[in-house]
Amino acid sequence: MPLSMPSPSLAPSPVLTPPPSLTHRAVDSDRRRTSASAILRSVLAHGPVARSTIARLTGLSPASVTDHCNRLTALGLIQEAATLRRSNGVGRPHVPVDLDDSRFVVGGVHVAVPYTTVALLDLRGRVVAERRLNHGEMERKRVKEGDVLANAAAGLRALLADDPGRVPLGVGVATGGWVDRDSGTIVEHPLLGWRDVRAREVIHALTGLPVHVDGHARALVNGERLFGRTAGAGGSVLHLFVGNVVDAAFATHDEVHHGPRSQSGAIAHLPLAGGTERCDCGRTGCLQAELSERTLCRRAREAGIIRTSDPMHILAAAADGDSVAVRLLLHRARMVGRAAGLLLDVLNPDTVVVTEMGAVHREDCLAALREEVGPDRAAAVVPTSFPDSVLAVAGGSVALDVLYRDPLSAPSSAASSAPSIRSSTASPGTI
């Protein structure tokens, strides 16, 4: 007689869920983070501002605003303003609060092809110190990542040593190419010859500070929304960055789109109508090949305008009345306008911010760019809000965006042990 086997249970397997206390704790933590972020941004945008006004702007209760303001004051991020304000000139005076931008800074590192920019930025996104570190001659078209990152950390140490009253909260690193924000890795930067460079890990090891890494176009979108002309405007913003690297970033509802492994914004090989430059990929008219500063400088050298690879020398020649230099800059601006029009067709943002040398520094180039975009959308195109410090702001904005999204995670200055950058000159290790 065969043994009978028990029939399998058809009941579904139990689903493991976190205990209610853990769930509520996570929700409360998210709520506190979101509320603190809204309050700090309100102080940034409107300060000095009364707590009652913050409650009205954010929709939070007066008690919640008071509690969070006390927390942010303890962290050293805000302070009571010296000037009292009365409501309609009567009643008990309000004590407004404002950012305390006197001590805390973030470090900014921007890695370009010919040089690295290191800077210190205050809580308002203002550059308080800046230094450019040239890469020197590139060997076989490859810049040594270990040297670049070690020099950047040393540059930050030097800036802080020159201003010992400043306390660093963290470091933001920005560059072109493919940058994975979550892992802090520069996945690929073809013009530098870099692959899988663990920038966050290396800079943290050299400084001891929290480090955040992102692509420079995405960083500048965040900078514009915090400190630039689109701050508080809402809507969607597209940032088009045109330097040696050409890339873009798109933000809507205060969120920058990153995509899987932060690959969004890679537009270098989009075809540009009318382009004539041969790209390394084998095609003709790719966006980056056509618009890059390398191409612009090569054309200027062929025309006898400059003998260097510095595009600012072309601007100087144009300012001195060189008609060929002006023609080259106007042609590039029109092609950038063509690229902006293409992205406008696809994404239809409220605002397009362009970082391009000609459009930033010459009204005729900006006019040519807008003319190419077309009269119906020309007003939506604006130059960067940071014409004299765009690379420094790109690096610093990576860290400042994190701070303004989660201010309660900032190290407390009240603990009398505010973080200071390491003076170690340890090897950057394997990258």
Side-chain angles (χ1 to χ4, degrees), residues 114-119 130-135 159 310 312 388 391:
Y115 56 83
T116 294
T117 301
V118 294
E130 181 178 354
R131 184 173 297 181
R132 178 180 293 185
L133 309 172
N134 291 323
H135 295 161
L159 292 179
D310 188 342
M312 297 304 290
D388 300 319
L391 302 184

Side-chain angles (χ1 to χ4, degrees), residues 135-193:
H135 295 161
E137 293 296 325
M138 290 190 297
E139 183 180 351
R140 297 180 182 178
K141 295 185 178 181
R142 187 178 186 279
V143 177
K144 295 180 180 178
E145 57 266 39
D147 293 342
V148 168
L149 298 180
N151 288 340
L156 290 175
R157 286 196 295 270
L159 292 179
L160 285 164
D162 290 340
D163 195 353
R166 296 286 188 170
V167 179
L169 292 177
V171 180
V173 180
T175 190
W178 175 8
V179 181
D180 182 9
R181 176 189 60 170
D182 293 336
S183 67
T185 302
I186 301 169
V187 181
E188 185 177 24
H189 195 308
L191 295 183
L192 291 175

Side-chain angles (χ1 to χ4, degrees), residues 10-291:
L10 299 180
S13 300
V15 178
L16 298 178
T17 57
S21 60
L22 294 180
T23 302
H24 293 156
R25 200 175 304 160
V27 171
D28 288 344
S29 177
D30 288 343
R31 185 182 296 115
R32 285 195 298 271
R33 183 185 305 113
T34 301
S35 298
S37 173
I39 290 170
L40 188 60
R41 286 173 181 241
S42 293
V43 175
L44 169 67
H46 302 283
V49 59
R51 293 171 178 83
S52 57
T53 303
I54 295 174
R56 176 174 55 81
L57 291 170
T58 61
L60 297 169
S61 70
S64 179
V65 169
T66 297
D67 179 57
H68 280 295
C69 282
N70 290 339
R71 291 171 183 263
L72 295 173
T73 300
L75 288 168
L77 300 177
I78 67 174
Q79 61 185 347
E80 291 189 342
T83 304
L84 299 180
R85 290 185 175 181
R86 294 181 181 273
S87 178
N88 297 322
V90 297
R92 183 178 178 181
H94 299 290
V95 181
V97 293
D98 202 358
L99 283 181
D100 184 352
D101 55 18
S102 61
R103 289 184 300 160
F104 284 141
V105 292
V106 298
V109 176
H110 180 276
V111 183
V113 175
Y115 56 83
T116 294
T117 301
V118 294
L120 302 178
L121 281 73
D122 68 13
L123 299 188
R124 298 184 189 276
R126 298 176 300 200
V127 177
V128 298
E130 181 178 354
R131 184 173 297 181
R132 178 180 293 185
L133 309 172
N134 291 323
H135 295 161
E137 293 296 325
M138 290 190 297
E139 183 180 351
R140 297 180 182 178
K141 295 185 178 181
R142 187 178 186 279
V143 177
K144 295 180 180 178
E145 57 266 39
D147 293 342
V148 168
L149 298 180
N151 288 340
L156 290 175
R157 286 196 295 270
L159 292 179
L160 285 164
D162 290 340
D163 195 353
R166 296 286 188 170
V167 179
L169 292 177
V171 180
V173 180
T175 190
W178 175 8
V179 181
D180 182 9
R181 176 189 60 170
D182 293 336
S183 67
T185 302
I186 301 169
V187 181
E188 185 177 24
H189 195 308
L191 295 183
L192 291 175
W194 289 9
R195 289 188 66 86
D196 297 322
V197 176
R198 299 196 296 273
R200 180 172 66 197
E201 178 182 321
V202 175
I203 296 292
H204 173 69
L206 291 168
T207 65
L209 293 171
V211 179
H212 308 279
V213 185
D214 208 345
H216 57 200
R218 291 191 293 264
L220 286 167
V221 163
N222 287 325
E224 291 285 348
R225 294 174 75 85
L226 282 171
F227 316 112
R229 57 171 54 89
T230 64
S236 53
V237 180
L238 170 73
H239 191 281
L240 176 59
F241 187 98
V242 183
N244 279 306
V245 172
V246 179
D247 53 14
F250 181 69
T252 184
H253 299 300
D254 201 35
E255 291 293 333
V256 178
H257 181 63
H258 282 75
R261 286 208 74 189
S262 300
Q263 292 189 73
S264 66
I267 61 171
H269 295 287
L270 285 180
L272 187 60
T276 59
E277 286 292 319
R278 187 76 171 171
C279 182
D280 290 341
C281 73
R283 293 180 294 180
T284 298
C286 290
L287 217 61
Q288 184 164 289
E290 188 66 30
L291 299 179

